[in-house]
Amino acid sequence: MARNGAHSPQSHAIYPGSFDPPTNGHLDVIARAAIVFPTVTVAVVVNPQKRSPHFTLDEREEMLRRCTSDFPNVRVDHFRGLLADYVKRIDANVIVKGLRVVSDFENEMASAHMNRSLSNVDTMFLMSDSNYSFVSSSLIKEVFLQGGDISRYVPDVVLEYMHQKRSTHGRK
Ligand code: PNS
């Protein structure tokens, strides 16, 4: 952002996440960020802190590349370590996050303050589409692995990967 508040033509947004797997909620945020910012980097964290990922880093990146191939200003990358360091390394101007429900806000507010303190880069929030306010990667996996229909909540590519993973790893 320029100092006078106008958008810099070089605005480069980062949308970070685990994307394990990407959902339609993620895709909606990416599509909307791609309208606002000239460049959007979707950045997959290498080791999600919460758990061992269901999909490998390569799989998560590949799914995102295939889902975002229609957006010429969206690129997919990955990072290790601190988001604040990665943001500085690739010279991004803003972090984009989606907010689904009020409870997301408390964690996200602390992260936004911390990332700004570490990198001087602001976080901008997009309210998730209300159709996806209850959709999370972890719920998607749980519903799928218990035999539920997740086709409304994930891109077709992701559904393919979910089926493939199940056929190669049994119930996993
Ligand atoms: O999709 P997620 O799991 O909610 O994404 C969380 C993510 C990747 C944005 C967050 O865990 C992160 O930024 N991890 C990198 C490590 C880091 O910078 N931690 C301090 C955050 S203030």
Side-chain angles (χ1 to χ4, degrees):
M1 297 292 157
R3 278 213 170 272
N4 64 4
H7 289 292
S8 149
Q10 274 80 46
S11 284
H12 177 180
I14 290 196
Y15 179 42
S18 308
F19 304 108
D20 188 35
T23 67
N24 284 342
H26 292 129
L27 262 292
D28 172 63
V29 171
I30 294 169
R32 287 155 63 202
I35 293 169
V36 178
F37 299 104
T39 308
V40 177
T41 295
V42 180
V44 184
V45 67
V46 172
N47 292 312
Q49 285 154 345
K50 299 168 202 162
R51 63 210 166 258
S52 58
H54 187 73
F55 288 104
T56 65
L57 174 65
D58 283 350
E59 286 167 336
R60 288 179 282 146
E61 283 195 279
E62 181 61 24
M63 283 185 274
L64 282 165
R65 287 210 174 88
R66 289 179 60 186
C67 296
T68 58
S69 58
D70 287 344
F71 301 105
N73 58 335
V74 172
R75 59 189 279 272
V76 177
D77 193 14
H78 62 266
F79 71 101
R80 289 183 168 75
L82 282 180
L83 175 61
D85 290 339
Y86 174 69
V87 164
K88 285 190 274 187
R89 209 158 56 238
I90 70 164
D91 211 14
N93 316 81
V94 63
I95 297 164
V96 170
K97 296 271 186 88
L99 281 182
R100 289 166 301 187
V101 286
V102 174
S103 54
D104 281 348
F105 181 75
E106 282 186 26
N107 291 334
E108 291 300 347
M109 189 172 67
S111 294
H113 282 308
M114 180 57 83
N115 283 322
R116 184 155 188 262
S117 173
L118 293 171
S119 68
N120 204 29
V121 168
D122 265 307
T123 301
M124 293 199 176
F125 295 101
L126 289 173
M127 299 306 298
S128 292
D129 186 301
S130 54
N131 288 316
Y132 306 125
S133 60
F134 58 93
V135 175
S136 66
S137 300
S138 39
L139 265 186
I140 290 298
K141 284 178 285 198
E142 187 179 338
V143 171
F144 180 80
L145 296 176
Q146 299 300 329
D149 177 8
I150 58 164
S151 58
R152 272 167 295 167
Y153 313 122
V154 295
D156 290 347
V157 170
V158 171
L159 195 57
E160 268 172 43
Y161 272 73
M162 294 289 294
H163 281 292
Q164 238 169 54
K165 179 71 85 182
R166 185 162 63 188
S167 62
T168 48
H169 290 86
R171 289 299 291 171
K172 193 187 175 199

